[in-house]
Amino acid sequence: EDVWDDSSIDAVVVGVPNFLHLPMAVDAMRAGKDVLLEKPMAMNVAECDELVGVAEETKRILQIGFVHRFTSVGMAAKKIADCGDLGEVFHARAHLLHRRGIPGLGGWFTTKAKSGGGCLIDVGVHVTDLLFYLLDQPKWTSISGKANSRFVVKMEHYIYETMWAGPPQLDGTFDVEDSAFALITLESGATIDLQVAWAGNFPKASIGKSQIGLFGDRGGMTFELFGPEIHLAAERNGFNADASLALAATDQMQLQMQDFAEAVARRKPQRGATPDEGRRVQSVIDAIYESSRNNAPVTG
């Protein structure tokens, strides 16, 4: 509250547990501050709608912290997607599969009342935003998904090497998903294969940790979310041709902060995620949870 009362501060970064995103961002905007809000935007679409409304009412900049837009591969992939070389993209892939990556077992990350969900709302929002960003924010029409909790039926039996946001709290709570899989159909008829997991038995020799892919009728593109290069497939002079682009690393957090500063100065969004874009990501997450609960597709 002392920060919100300081008239010398025009903008703030809100990076707190998910259940605090809504009240802290609302209080900051009502106090006249522009806000860079860490992902996810909120715990559900209803909270996103409240944030969108407050941002419009107060005329403050509200940017959502989807930092993978600012990696070297993320920025290059956006240029490639926008230039038209892929043609009409009819399928896309977003995979982020950790072998053993449950954060802070038993803490707020794994407590639905405080996090809103598990791997889907934690890391799934990153790859979902990146794909929708690369595809120029398409509308989805149908989502069929399943969220699973398989690896911590008894938390003391969970096998891991390291745990960020730890150590485990074995007397805590784990009532969220550790993996989620979905097929998303877009208004254009294109499809998205979404796979995310905190934990799973994924052989390292044959299944990569992450892959983003866009596949069109003129070309295709894949890259590893944390990697240094982009792989391309195309047709050239009557031949199938493959190529790789090696990219220098970026400081994506610094670039995101610079982008936010520019948005504040210009009073309009730059490359960062807008409230409406953050809401679209959350609508996908909510629909996957709903589809999983009801064992049925959800239509948009």
Side-chain angles (χ1 to χ4, degrees):
E1 293 181 0
D2 291 341
V3 172
W4 307 159
D5 292 338
D6 190 338
S7 60
S8 68
I9 297 175
D10 298 319
V12 296
V13 179
V14 175
V16 294
N18 298 353
F19 68 98
L20 295 174
H21 281 200
L22 175 64
M24 290 194 72
V26 166
D27 287 350
M29 288 188 287
R30 291 201 186 284
K33 316 301 181 186
D34 297 311
V35 176
L36 173 57
L37 178 62
E38 257 300 344
K39 65 82 190 170
M41 181 174 178
M43 301 216 325
N44 51 56
V45 165
E47 289 189 357
C48 291
D49 287 339
E50 186 170 347
L51 285 168
V52 170
V54 173
E56 292 175 348
E57 170 196 334
T58 60
K59 295 180 171 55
R60 307 318 303 175
I61 296 294
L62 175 61
Q63 181 171 316
I64 315 305
F66 290 121
V67 73
H68 285 278
R69 294 187 180 199
F70 299 95
T71 63
S72 58
V73 288
M75 292 188 293
K78 180 61 173 171
K79 291 181 179 179
I80 293 167
D82 287 349
C83 78
D85 283 353
L86 302 181
E88 182 180 352
V89 175
F90 56 87
H91 183 65
R93 174 186 299 166
H95 294 180
L96 181 51
L97 304 172
H98 292 273
R99 178 70 177 272
R100 295 291 185 271
I102 297 173
L105 183 63
W108 76 263
F109 273 100
T110 64
T111 304
K112 188 173 183 179
K114 295 183 176 181
S115 63
C119 64
L120 195 56
I121 201 169
D122 177 39
V123 296
V125 292
H126 271 310
V127 291
T128 301
D129 172 72
L130 187 54
L131 265 194
F132 274 71
Y133 176 61
L134 296 178
L135 293 170
D136 202 22
Q137 301 300 332
K139 294 181 179 179
W140 62 267
T141 58
S142 176
I143 294 179
S144 181
K146 195 65 182 177
N148 305 290
S149 183
R150 301 283 181 170
F151 285 85
V152 284
V153 176
K154 293 184 177 180
M155 287 192 287
E156 62 270 23
H157 295 164
Y158 175 63
I159 300 171
Y160 68 98
E161 288 81 37
T162 61
M163 181 176 297
W164 77 277
Q169 302 175 36
L170 297 182
D171 60 346
T173 301
F174 192 105
D175 61 355
V176 298
E177 79 282 356
D178 50 35
S179 67
F181 308 91
L183 178 66
I184 303 166
T185 302
L186 304 178
E187 191 174 53
S188 66
T191 51
I192 293 174
D193 167 25
L194 177 66
Q195 301 184 28
V196 294
W198 273 343
N201 290 319
F202 309 114
K204 294 180 180 179
S206 59
I207 299 179
K209 181 178 179 180
S210 69
Q211 188 184 81
I212 304 297
L214 274 68
F215 309 103
D217 54 11
R218 294 179 56 194
M221 167 174 63
T222 63
F223 59 92
E224 205 270 328
L225 194 64
F226 309 95
E229 59 186 355
I230 291 180
H231 304 286
L232 299 168
E235 300 172 5
R236 294 286 185 269
N237 302 315
F239 298 95
N240 292 323
D242 286 1
S244 294
L245 302 178
L247 302 167
T250 62
D251 185 340
Q252 57 263 30
M253 298 301 292
Q254 181 65 30
L255 289 175
Q256 179 177 246
M257 290 299 296
Q258 291 173 357
D259 182 82
F260 176 54
E262 188 172 351
V264 169
R266 294 176 179 268
R267 307 310 304 161
K268 64 179 181 179
Q270 303 299 302
R271 286 182 295 174
T274 67
D276 286 339
E277 291 167 355
R279 185 196 186 279
R280 179 171 288 130
V281 172
Q282 190 61 51
S283 75
V284 172
I285 304 305
D286 282 10
I288 294 172
Y289 285 141
E290 182 182 346
S291 176
S292 182
R293 286 193 303 269
N294 298 330
N295 287 314
V298 173
T299 56

